[in-house]
Amino acid sequence: MKCRKCGKKAVANLRAYRLSLCSDCFVEFYRKLVRRSIEKYGIFKNNDRILAAISGGKDSAAMASVLKELGYDFEMLYIDLGIGNYSADSREKVEKLSEMLGVRLNIVSLSDYGIDITKLRGRICSACGTAKRYIMNRFARENNFTVVATGHTAEDLVSFYLKNISGGQKDYAEKLLPRIEPFDEKLVARAKPLFEVSEKENMLYAIIRKLPIKMEECPYAPRQEWKEIVYEIELKKPGFAKNFVRGLVSGQRNLNFRHCSICGEVSLGEICSFCRLRKRFSEMKL
Amino acid sequence: MKCRKCGKKAVANLRAYRLSLCSDCFVEFYRKLVRRSIEKYGIFKNNDRILAAISGGKDSAAMASVLKELGYDFEMLYIDLGIGNYSADSREKVEKLSEMLGVRLNIVSLSDYGIDITKLRGRICSACGTAKRYIMNRFARENNFTVVATGHTAEDLVSFYLKNISGGQKDYAEKLLPRIEPFDEKLVARAKPLFEVSEKENMLYAIIRKLPIKMEECPYAPRQEWKEIVYEIELKKPGFAKNFVRGLVSGQRNLNFRHCSICGEVSLGEICSFCRLRKRFSEMKL
């Protein structure tokens, strides 16, 4: 398998793009993909002070690294959840990442707030989500950041959407936007620069760039059934996740209807599609 | 397996509702389900003159039969596509259905318009869709019907939605609504009384009611990949299709945000979820 761009040995076979790339061309491709998202969807504004929320995993590490490559000035925030070895390992990885990228790392611990999440019975993930969202926003505002960037991927957003819509919670749909402006002075904007990037692409980029990342899942992570459903659709329809989020995010087209000049029925063009179909047959007979 | 309602032998195991029912109780359940949809979503209006589009298949036959049971006055329209034995068999079934229900059947043939769809090379399904939509609307308007009812199911709508959104065509999303009002005087309203009913439920109802239906697929029908994806999700998440369309159709909730009385951050209740979490820990220590 050869790189479509330079002919060297390919390391990446991107089914969503029907494209094979070598490591150098892949990194170039990945960087352009993220830059294009940021520009097209106005994910960062000119005077933004960006706080990148990082967890120690591949997605947020890839986000921090590519933002650095794209010339963004930002700081990172790691929230220490106090989950034994898992959190200790994660912290070690983000400290290495901070050193490698030369980007300042801020750390807030849940224990600073008197919370030991491992003591909770049930619903740990829900409490953890609450705590992370709270701390990200409050830390950002109190330290004069204007936007919090998270490493959410296309798969994260699609699985979240399918789960929530089928759970009847349509109001969560707006959380999918690549940039969310605050509706209250206490809130800081949210940005998802990787919203149309897939996990596989982040993983490839992280490996090529040799980013320090932890591979273990959180010991409390439940089975991500909706994520698995998205992976399965992706196998059948390569690019599904990114195409779906793009479709959700894109505005509706403005369609101009008029009346068909032949039959007078409603039509998008001068002649409606039914009359065009009839014409094909009348011409066939000639 | 016993009927949950009356204790007789169950014939239906509705995983979406975790409910087993005998044939009588299932028909009762099915009828209520459709009646509730019609009422909740205003699918038919008081003075509607309803034209039910029927194909010979289970879904539209079930629709016609249940509308009759629910006391609606309507006529049926069958469009003869002129596809050899397939269309001849379908026509026979709808004629039997008309007789069985005592509902007037109207028939329009594509050949009346000089179209022989089997002569087309490629894109037959797209041309067939165009022709059916055109004829349904025009026949309804010219014969003073106010609404065309189709037998679209929850699975139809979800697969249509997933396919179109991931194809970037967001403007199709509004086609999912259970009732679509005309935006032009040449158009007739569209209604989907079975929009939150599953194909399996229609099939069960059709079998119990011994409706004349054809089981063969159209010889030109392509593999319905998106439908298969929906079936697979349904296996893992029973009720997915109907929950998803309900979620899409339901309006957004109005959320009232305020500031937490403890920490001052944005909150949905008097005390924000993070402070409630902290409280649980401070109380634990007592």
Side-chain angles (χ1 to χ4, degrees):
Chain A
M1 205 169 61
K2 284 187 176 175
C3 175
R4 175 102 70 84
K5 299 220 167 152
C6 72
K8 272 194 268 183
K9 186 170 182 294
V11 300
N13 176 21
L14 306 172
R15 290 180 68 212
Y17 300 94
R18 299 187 188 197
L19 190 61
S20 297
L21 294 174
C22 71
S23 55
D24 286 349
C25 292
F26 173 75
V27 166
E28 176 68 20
F29 173 87
Y30 181 88
R31 204 161 43 213
K32 272 190 188 160
L33 180 61
V34 177
R35 189 173 57 210
R36 210 201 54 157
S37 295
I38 293 173
E39 286 168 4
K40 184 170 177 193
Y41 297 96
I43 290 178
F44 295 123
K45 313 245 182 248
N46 272 339
N47 297 319
D48 263 341
R49 279 202 69 221
I50 303 169
L51 180 67
I54 55 168
S55 67
K58 66 185 189 313
D59 301 313
S60 55
M63 170 180 72
S65 171
V66 74
L67 288 183
K68 184 76 186 175
E69 285 191 48
L70 291 172
Y72 286 94
D73 194 23
F74 63 100
E75 293 186 16
M76 303 194 292
L77 171 65
Y78 170 71
I79 299 172
D80 191 328
L81 301 164
I83 302 178
N85 284 337
Y86 171 76
S87 289
D89 290 352
S90 305
R91 189 167 176 151
E92 207 187 295
K93 299 294 193 221
V94 298
E95 281 166 346
K96 278 187 188 155
L97 183 71
S98 162
E99 212 171 293
M100 180 175 167
L101 300 178
V103 172
R104 183 189 160 89
L105 174 66
N106 302 280
I107 296 181
V108 175
S109 295
L110 265 192
S111 61
D112 300 344
Y113 288 93
I115 294 173
D116 179 351
I117 209 143
T118 65
K119 294 269 160 60
L120 287 176
R121 270 171 222 86
R123 293 174 59 77
I124 287 189
C125 297
S126 146
C128 178
T130 293
K132 285 195 288 192
R133 283 188 296 275
Y134 184 95
I135 292 172
M136 274 192 275
N137 183 69
R138 188 162 164 182
F139 181 88
R141 190 188 70 237
E142 290 178 349
N143 293 278
N144 301 312
F145 291 96
T146 57
V147 63
V148 175
T150 54
H152 288 105
T153 65
E155 291 93 335
D156 287 332
L157 299 187
V158 176
S159 57
F160 183 84
Y161 182 78
L162 295 179
K163 179 181 174 180
N164 279 287
I165 294 289
S166 61
Q169 296 176 296
K170 199 177 181 179
D171 40 308
Y172 282 106
E174 67 184 34
K175 289 202 181 179
L176 302 183
L177 295 175
R179 171 149 183 144
I180 305 169
E181 295 301 334
F183 60 84
D184 187 285
E185 55 177 18
K186 294 256 174 158
L187 297 178
V188 168
R190 288 301 190 84
K192 303 185 191 71
L194 307 186
F195 88 102
E196 53 178 341
V197 176
S198 81
E199 294 177 357
K200 187 186 160 190
E201 288 154 1
N202 290 337
M203 180 60 96
L204 266 165
Y205 171 84
I207 290 171
I208 293 171
R209 280 287 183 248
K210 297 192 174 65
L211 303 179
I213 51 173
K214 70 165 197 320
M215 306 298 275
E216 306 78 43
E217 280 232 57
C218 172
Y220 296 106
R223 195 171 149 199
Q224 296 188 291
E225 289 181 283
W226 285 101
K227 200 59 107 42
E228 289 167 16
I229 286 169
V230 172
Y231 294 151
E232 277 177 39
I233 302 179
E234 190 73 30
L235 280 177
K236 286 179 194 160
K237 299 282 182 188
F240 165 71
K242 59 177 73 199
N243 291 332
F244 196 83
V245 288
R246 282 174 185 153
L248 280 179
V249 159
S250 72
Q252 289 185 231
R253 282 186 295 171
N254 254 331
L255 301 179
N256 290 312
F257 288 97
R258 46 182 160 174
H259 292 162
C260 171
S261 61
I262 296 177
C263 72
E265 296 292 319
V266 172
S267 169
L268 262 174
E270 201 209 320
I271 300 177
C272 79
S273 45
F274 188 72
C275 286
R276 286 201 305 271
L277 186 60
R278 292 185 74 180
K279 255 180 107 181
R280 281 166 70 184
F281 281 93
S282 58
E283 282 160 9
M284 257 188 209
K285 281 171 198 157
L286 290 178
Chain B
M1 202 170 62
K2 286 187 175 174
C3 174
R4 175 104 70 83
K5 299 221 166 150
C6 73
K8 272 195 267 182
K9 188 171 179 294
V11 299
N13 175 21
L14 307 172
R15 289 181 68 214
Y17 300 93
R18 297 183 190 203
L19 190 62
S20 298
L21 294 173
C22 71
S23 56
D24 286 348
C25 291
F26 172 76
V27 166
E28 175 69 19
F29 174 87
Y30 179 89
R31 204 160 43 214
K32 272 191 187 162
L33 180 60
V34 178
R35 187 171 58 209
R36 211 202 51 157
S37 294
I38 293 172
E39 287 169 3
K40 182 170 177 195
Y41 298 97
I43 290 178
F44 295 124
K45 315 244 181 249
N46 272 340
N47 296 320
D48 265 339
R49 277 202 69 221
I50 302 169
L51 180 67
I54 56 168
S55 65
K58 65 186 189 313
D59 301 313
S60 55
M63 171 180 71
S65 171
V66 74
L67 289 183
K68 184 78 186 173
E69 286 192 48
L70 291 172
Y72 285 95
D73 194 21
F74 62 102
E75 292 187 16
M76 303 194 292
L77 171 65
Y78 171 71
I79 298 172
D80 191 327
L81 302 165
I83 303 178
N85 284 337
Y86 170 77
S87 288
D89 290 353
S90 304
R91 190 167 173 149
E92 208 187 293
K93 300 294 193 224
V94 299
E95 281 166 347
K96 279 188 190 154
L97 184 68
S98 162
E99 211 171 293
M100 179 175 168
L101 301 178
V103 172
R104 182 188 161 89
L105 174 66
N106 302 279
I107 297 183
V108 176
S109 296
L110 265 193
S111 61
D112 300 345
Y113 287 93
I115 294 174
D116 179 351
I117 210 144
T118 64
K119 294 268 161 62
L120 287 177
R121 269 171 223 88
R123 293 177 58 77
I124 288 190
C125 298
S126 146
C128 178
T130 293
K132 285 194 288 191
R133 282 188 297 274
Y134 184 95
I135 292 171
M136 274 193 273
N137 183 71
R138 190 162 159 181
F139 181 90
R141 190 188 69 237
E142 290 176 351
N143 292 280
N144 300 316
F145 291 95
T146 58
V147 63
V148 175
T150 55
H152 288 105
T153 65
E155 290 93 334
D156 288 332
L157 299 186
V158 176
S159 57
F160 183 84
Y161 182 78
L162 294 180
K163 180 181 174 180
N164 279 288
I165 294 287
S166 61
Q169 296 176 295
K170 200 175 181 178
D171 39 307
Y172 283 106
E174 68 186 33
K175 290 200 180 178
L176 303 183
L177 295 176
R179 172 153 182 138
I180 304 171
E181 294 302 335
F183 60 85
D184 186 285
E185 57 179 17
K186 294 255 172 156
L187 297 179
V188 167
R190 289 299 191 82
K192 304 184 189 73
L194 306 187
F195 88 104
E196 53 178 342
V197 177
S198 80
E199 293 177 358
K200 187 185 160 190
E201 288 155 3
N202 290 336
M203 180 60 95
L204 265 165
Y205 171 84
I207 290 171
I208 294 170
R209 280 287 182 248
K210 297 191 174 67
L211 302 180
I213 52 174
K214 72 165 194 321
M215 305 299 273
E216 307 79 42
E217 280 233 57
C218 172
Y220 296 106
R223 193 172 151 199
Q224 296 187 294
E225 290 182 281
W226 284 101
K227 201 58 107 43
E228 289 168 18
I229 285 169
V230 171
Y231 294 151
E232 278 177 38
I233 302 179
E234 191 72 29
L235 280 178
K236 287 180 194 160
K237 299 282 180 186
F240 165 71
K242 58 177 76 200
N243 291 332
F244 195 83
V245 289
R246 282 173 184 155
L248 279 178
V249 159
S250 72
Q252 291 187 229
R253 283 187 294 173
N254 256 330
L255 301 178
N256 290 314
F257 288 98
R258 47 179 158 174
H259 291 162
C260 170
S261 62
I262 296 179
C263 72
E265 296 292 320
V266 172
S267 169
L268 263 173
E270 200 209 324
I271 300 178
C272 78
S273 45
F274 188 72
C275 286
R276 287 203 303 271
L277 186 61
R278 293 186 73 181
K279 256 180 107 179
R280 280 167 71 185
F281 282 93
S282 58
E283 282 160 7
M284 258 189 208
K285 281 172 196 153
L286 290 177

